[in-house]
Amino acid sequence: MSRRYKIVLAYDGTAYSGYQVQDNGVSVQQRLEEVLEYLDRQPVRVFGSSRTDAGVHARGFVAHFDLTKPIPPQGLLRGMNARLPDDIRVLKASYAKPDFDARKSAKGKEYRYFVYNADILPPHLAPYWTFCHRPLDVQAMQDAANRFVGRHDFVSFAANPHRDLETTVRNIFSFKVRKAGPRVTFIVQGDGFLYKQVRSMVGFLISVGKGGEKPAAVTELLEAAAPRTARVQTAPGKGLFLWKVWYR
């Protein structure tokens, strides 16, 4: 008889093609399934809370899977971390209800995007911070970010996922832009996000911060609800972290 487990992960996405198993590179999901197959002595499918892109990191990624071996959660945590590469770590492991689904049961997610706004980017921050040497108007970016809050059709701020979607409408709960010295952090919470939506929104906010777009342009693009154009740039994957996922 199998039992369902829930784990919380942190990972450095630099070396991976994303969370989801893909043909064009090694994924985080692949590494997890390899370790669990060793522990459970049979193939194990891992279901993640999100499909993070290539180079994107996570601090609070959630996944679920079923095991046939009776492994206690603490033993599972130790066993997985002993065999996973150093850039993937299981932070928590617990039993889950049989109907728990890491993606479908989620009530909301928080992403954080990090921009280093100065003349020089310190090398040790390079894998995790996007560099911008031009001055950024934080007040204008916050004005623009506020316009994303609420329930909107975000098709203008998403890439084609190459799969059918029921809807491109999403609900953004909050969107904050914070600056501390050269460090600019974008913090967005919502009920779910489209393919490359967060990176597209941040990319557009950076355009606003540089003076290339006005904050009101966010409302204009949302109301147009037209497929994304070159006007909406996608910020690099390396500055993005899936920060946390919350449930009931």
Side-chain angles (χ1 to χ4, degrees):
M1 183 177 174
S2 64
R3 188 156 194 179
R4 182 152 297 186
Y5 292 80
K6 170 188 173 184
I7 58 172
V8 180
L9 298 168
Y11 57 81
D12 178 338
T14 305
Y16 300 101
S17 58
Y19 169 76
Q20 199 90 349
V21 168
Q22 297 173 43
D23 296 331
N24 62 346
V26 178
S27 69
V28 175
Q29 182 184 13
Q30 178 184 332
R31 289 290 181 246
L32 294 171
E33 291 179 352
E34 288 169 351
V35 167
L36 288 169
E37 182 173 358
Y38 173 85
L39 294 174
D40 205 41
R41 299 293 188 260
Q42 63 181 334
V44 177
R45 184 72 169 171
V46 180
F47 299 88
S49 54
S50 186
R51 292 180 169 93
T52 57
D53 304 331
V56 173
H57 316 291
R59 175 183 175 272
F61 190 98
V62 178
H64 81 266
F65 48 84
D66 297 332
L67 300 181
T68 57
K69 301 285 184 189
I71 305 175
Q74 276 303 109
L76 177 67
L77 185 147
R78 288 193 297 269
M80 291 187 72
N81 284 335
R83 292 168 179 83
L84 284 166
D86 291 341
D87 52 10
I88 303 174
R89 276 293 167 267
V90 180
L91 304 179
K92 297 178 184 177
S94 60
Y95 294 121
K97 292 182 179 179
D99 62 347
F100 173 77
D101 187 293
R103 183 177 63 84
K104 295 177 183 176
S105 301
K107 299 301 181 187
K109 297 173 185 173
E110 178 180 310
Y111 281 90
R112 296 193 181 193
Y113 196 96
F114 299 98
V115 172
Y116 200 83
N117 189 208
D119 291 334
I120 298 168
L121 173 65
H124 68 283
L125 297 180
Y128 313 108
W129 290 72
T130 291
F131 177 55
C132 179
H133 66 86
R134 288 179 57 182
L136 294 173
D137 184 336
V138 176
Q139 188 171 347
M141 291 192 296
Q142 183 63 72
D143 184 0
N146 291 340
R147 296 164 188 264
F148 283 119
V149 176
R151 191 170 184 82
H152 306 286
D153 187 337
F154 283 94
V155 66
S156 302
F157 292 93
N160 184 350
H162 302 293
R163 57 189 173 86
D164 292 335
L165 293 172
E166 287 184 16
T167 178
T168 50
V169 173
R170 296 291 186 271
N171 188 14
I172 300 298
F173 306 144
S174 68
F175 205 153
K176 303 296 183 187
V177 184
R178 295 177 179 166
K179 190 174 192 299
R183 301 174 185 231
V184 182
T185 306
F186 299 83
I187 306 171
V188 59
Q189 296 183 341
D191 61 0
F193 298 90
L194 301 168
Y195 182 48
K196 296 188 178 178
Q197 180 185 336
V198 177
R199 290 166 60 193
S200 297
M201 292 190 298
V202 171
F204 197 78
L205 292 181
I206 291 171
S207 296
V208 170
K210 291 176 178 177
E213 293 280 359
K214 298 294 185 185
V218 169
T219 304
E220 173 195 330
L221 288 166
L222 288 173
E223 290 178 348
R228 192 183 70 162
T229 66
R231 186 179 175 188
V232 178
Q233 299 295 311
T234 305
K238 68 177 184 176
L240 182 61
F241 283 74
L242 174 57
W243 204 252
K244 66 182 175 183
V245 183
W246 63 89
Y247 297 87
R248 290 188 283 278

